[in-house]
Amino acid sequence: ETHHWIRGNNGDKMYETIDGNATKKDARYLAITNAYLPGEDSVAERMREAHEKIVEGRAADIGFLYDSLEAHPSTPLSPESLRIVLPKIRGDAVWLNVETIIQSVLDTTLSASRSRRMWLNQIVAEEDALYGSADWVPLETQGAMLLPGDEIVLGFDGGKTDDDTGLIAIRTTDDCAFVLGHWYKPDGPAGEGWEVNRDQVDTGVRDAFRLFNVKAFYADVALWESYIATWATDYAEGLAVKAEGHNGIAWDMRQSVQRVTRAHERLMQSIADGKLHHDGDHALKRHVLNARRRTNNYGLSFGKESRESPRKVDLYAALLLAHEALNDLRIRGKNKRQPTRQGYFI
């Protein structure tokens, strides 16, 4: 049960040994486990993340087969629902007694998240997670596509070496979020000495303005001051709403804890109310589910699980900035006539 194989009991070393021996024999191995506890860095969690990287195209498909029968995220823990769902989730493990499991689920001395992992095979967020799959997955608009000319707002959060860099768009007509750009450090040897290609990021931003009708653009300035100054010079004048300050794009997330907290709470409320939607992007989902609660004197903000955690939240930060741009657009935005670059002579 690889969800128990963690660094503390040398489970990670056991897995490496098994993989090495199987490779020598040109053999395969099978891992059977319950749903893992997010954040423990168990072998089961690593396998799930490896599978998701393959699905996202961020890792080579090495013939990795991952099969998981999971209950719908919104499945209620009621006896009526469990009598329907449990026989489907247990598959051919017919020795599992449904009524006995229901009694365990209803036992108030056991956490609901533990019951969901154990019996419904759901990957449940930790207690300090901002969201679980049940909060995010139902917001997907299947088949959603961003088309040239669509009216959008943009949010940007940039890194340099270790942190990811993300560019998020939210379409103003249906509040649907899309990942326009995601630049990240590769795994393994390819990531040694890696630094984000700033020219590619600059091109991504300029392509967004070329293809879409951008009404607002908020960008965190850390590590990207010179580029944001240039983007503001080139594009801020045509925006319907501008960031506060001398630069119409710069939105410094380091400047005010209160300001960031208020913006974050607005984003959380939109997600809770089902007003924000997305196209099902796997990387965005991963970053959203990685976000952890961070309380302060002004309310509820967010952060990574730890400063050195490899579980990134940068796309979530970019989503926050895009959402705040959308909020400001609707409160104080003015329609700007787009320049046609045409002249008329009499």
Side-chain angles (χ1 to χ4, degrees):
E1 293 194 301
T2 50
H3 69 291
H4 290 313
W5 293 22
I6 60 177
R7 186 175 302 174
N9 58 25
N10 291 321
D12 56 338
K13 299 299 182 184
M14 172 68 78
Y15 172 64
E16 291 175 2
T17 301
I18 291 173
D19 181 81
N21 290 336
T23 301
K24 292 175 185 177
K25 295 290 186 179
D26 192 23
R28 295 181 180 272
Y29 49 88
L30 176 66
I32 302 176
T33 185
N34 290 113
Y36 59 84
L37 176 63
E40 279 196 325
D41 194 28
S42 64
V43 170
E45 185 170 11
R46 293 184 187 184
M47 286 182 166
R48 175 67 167 243
E49 291 177 349
H51 162 69
E52 291 179 346
K53 287 179 181 178
I54 293 172
V55 171
E56 295 173 20
R58 298 192 298 121
D61 188 349
I62 56 174
F64 192 98
L65 175 62
Y66 192 94
D67 183 37
S68 178
L69 184 60
E70 303 172 19
H72 191 279
S74 62
T75 300
L77 296 181
S78 65
E80 296 78 13
S81 296
L82 293 173
R83 288 190 180 98
I84 297 173
V85 174
L86 285 172
K88 299 178 180 179
I89 300 302
R90 71 180 179 182
D92 57 2
V94 294
W95 58 85
L96 294 176
N97 188 291
V98 172
E99 294 302 323
T100 301
I101 294 174
I102 291 176
Q103 290 179 8
S104 175
V105 172
L106 298 179
D107 185 347
T108 57
T109 65
L110 301 173
S111 69
S113 60
R114 183 262 186 189
S115 295
R116 289 187 179 278
R117 287 193 301 273
M118 181 66 68
W119 307 118
L120 298 183
N121 204 25
Q122 294 174 330
I123 307 301
V124 180
E126 296 172 290
E127 297 302 322
D128 66 341
L130 283 167
Y131 311 101
S133 293
D135 302 305
W136 186 250
V137 172
L139 300 179
E140 178 182 351
T141 301
Q142 294 187 2
M145 294 181 62
L146 197 57
L147 302 176
D150 281 354
E151 183 178 290
I152 64 171
V153 295
L154 295 173
F156 173 82
D157 183 65
K160 182 179 179 182
T161 55
D162 186 59
D163 285 338
D164 291 10
T165 295
L167 180 66
I168 298 289
I170 299 179
R171 185 162 50 202
T172 62
T173 54
D174 59 359
D175 292 12
C176 191
F178 302 85
V179 178
L180 295 187
H182 182 204
W183 299 267
Y184 50 87
K185 179 181 178 180
D187 291 330
E192 295 180 5
W194 180 86
E195 187 170 322
V196 66
N197 188 321
R198 294 184 173 232
D199 289 338
Q200 288 183 1
V201 177
D202 182 56
T203 299
V205 170
R206 295 182 181 281
D207 282 346
F209 277 91
R210 179 174 58 85
L211 293 172
F212 308 108
N213 181 10
V214 181
K215 290 296 185 180
F217 180 21
Y218 286 175
D220 187 21
V221 300
L223 304 176
W224 287 82
E225 288 88 345
S226 62
Y227 279 85
I228 290 172
T230 301
W231 296 337
T233 299
D234 293 344
Y235 300 115
E237 186 60 31
L239 298 175
V241 65
K242 301 177 184 178
E244 297 177 359
H246 68 279
N247 185 310
I249 289 175
W251 206 97
D252 196 341
M253 298 184 75
R254 304 165 300 181
Q255 193 174 55
S256 170
V257 174
Q258 182 179 14
R259 185 182 179 206
V260 174
T261 301
R262 294 288 181 261
H264 181 248
E265 290 180 342
R266 280 189 283 271
L267 172 60
M268 289 188 63
Q269 193 61 54
S270 289
I271 292 175
D273 292 342
K275 293 182 178 180
L276 183 71
H277 304 280
H278 59 86
D279 65 344
D281 184 90
H282 291 283
L284 178 58
K285 174 186 175 182
R286 177 162 45 82
H287 283 223
V288 169
L289 299 187
N290 284 345
R292 296 293 181 260
R293 294 174 178 269
R294 296 292 181 264
T295 57
N296 56 54
N297 292 335
Y298 304 104
L300 182 60
S301 190
F302 76 100
K304 295 200 298 184
E305 61 182 2
S306 67
R307 186 178 182 85
E308 302 301 325
S309 173
R311 294 175 174 81
K312 308 300 183 182
V313 297
D314 304 284
L315 289 180
Y316 181 69
L319 177 66
L320 180 151
L321 291 171
H323 183 266
E324 189 66 2
L326 179 65
N327 180 73
D328 286 351
L329 176 67
R330 288 175 174 164
I331 292 176
R332 56 184 177 87
K334 297 180 180 178
N335 288 325
K336 292 277 187 178
R337 178 173 296 182
Q338 296 299 312
T340 63
R341 304 186 186 278
Q342 296 177 340
Y344 296 91
F345 299 91
I346 300 176

